[in-house]
């Protein structure tokens, strides 16, 4: 089965790391292309190409302010990405909780003298 073009939908568009960087940069506020180029240290033609892809799949909006184009994220279009990844967030949170429980269980099973030395910084040597 052929792979979908990275420009066909939001999921494929964000598969490109530079597009994710751009989305992260635009997350807090609207920005002109020049700010994106300077801050992310990318070439202007590359940024324009990535912004066009993100705009075509609906992840960013653009508006003109005089001669400048200002870009911002479209939070509603990003929502499906967030909802999908939250499934995995729940999984990893569960895994981390299991690790924590095991670690705490092992700490509680340490012999008293080892636990005591750990808490008092003693190594059983006389000074």
């Amino acid at each position: 089965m052929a792979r979908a073009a990275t420009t066909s939908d939001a999921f494929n568009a964000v598969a490109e790391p530079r597009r994710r960087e751009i989305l992260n940069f635009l997350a807090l506020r609207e920005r002109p292309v020049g700010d994106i180029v300077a801050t992310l240290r990318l070439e202007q033609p590359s940024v324009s190409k990535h912004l066009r892809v993100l705009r075509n799949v609906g992840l960013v909006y653009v508006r003109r302010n005089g001669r400048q184009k200002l870009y911002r994220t479209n939070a509603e279009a990003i929502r499906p990405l967030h909802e999908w990844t939250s499934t995995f967030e729940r999984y990893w949170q569960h895994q981390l909780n299991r690790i924590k429980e095991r670690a705490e269980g092992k700490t509680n099973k340490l012999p008293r003298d080892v636990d005591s030395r750990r808490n008092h910084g003693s190594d059983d040597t006389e000074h």
Side-chain angles (χ1 to χ4, degrees), residues 16 18-19 22 46-54:
E16 215 296 321
R18 285 170 217 83
R19 291 189 196 124
I22 291 169
S46 175
V47 169
S48 293
K49 179 190 87 167
H50 291 308
L51 286 169
R52 184 172 47 253
V53 170
L54 294 170

Side-chain angles (χ1 to χ4, degrees), residues 13-95:
V14 298
E16 215 296 321
R18 285 170 217 83
R19 291 189 196 124
R20 291 192 305 270
E21 279 185 82
I22 291 169
L23 284 172
N24 284 339
F25 185 66
L26 295 174
L28 299 177
R29 66 183 179 99
E30 180 178 70
R31 307 210 188 228
V33 173
D35 285 3
I36 300 167
V37 168
T39 303
L40 301 181
R41 297 180 179 176
L42 299 170
E43 297 294 323
Q44 190 278 325
S46 175
V47 169
S48 293
K49 179 190 87 167
H50 291 308
L51 286 169
R52 184 172 47 253
V53 170
L54 294 170
R55 194 176 69 240
N56 288 344
V57 298
L59 293 176
V60 297
Y61 291 124
V62 62
R63 75 174 179 89
R64 281 207 174 269
N65 184 20
R67 293 180 54 197
Q68 242 182 1
K69 286 184 177 181
L70 299 171
Y71 292 85
R72 65 184 167 94
T73 57
N74 174 1
E76 280 304 309
I78 293 172
R79 182 185 303 262
L81 298 170
H82 173 71
E83 289 171 353
W84 181 74
T85 58
S86 68
T87 300
F88 299 98
E89 181 180 358
R90 287 189 297 271
Y91 168 77
W92 284 111
Q93 187 59 49
H94 174 74
Q95 294 298 93

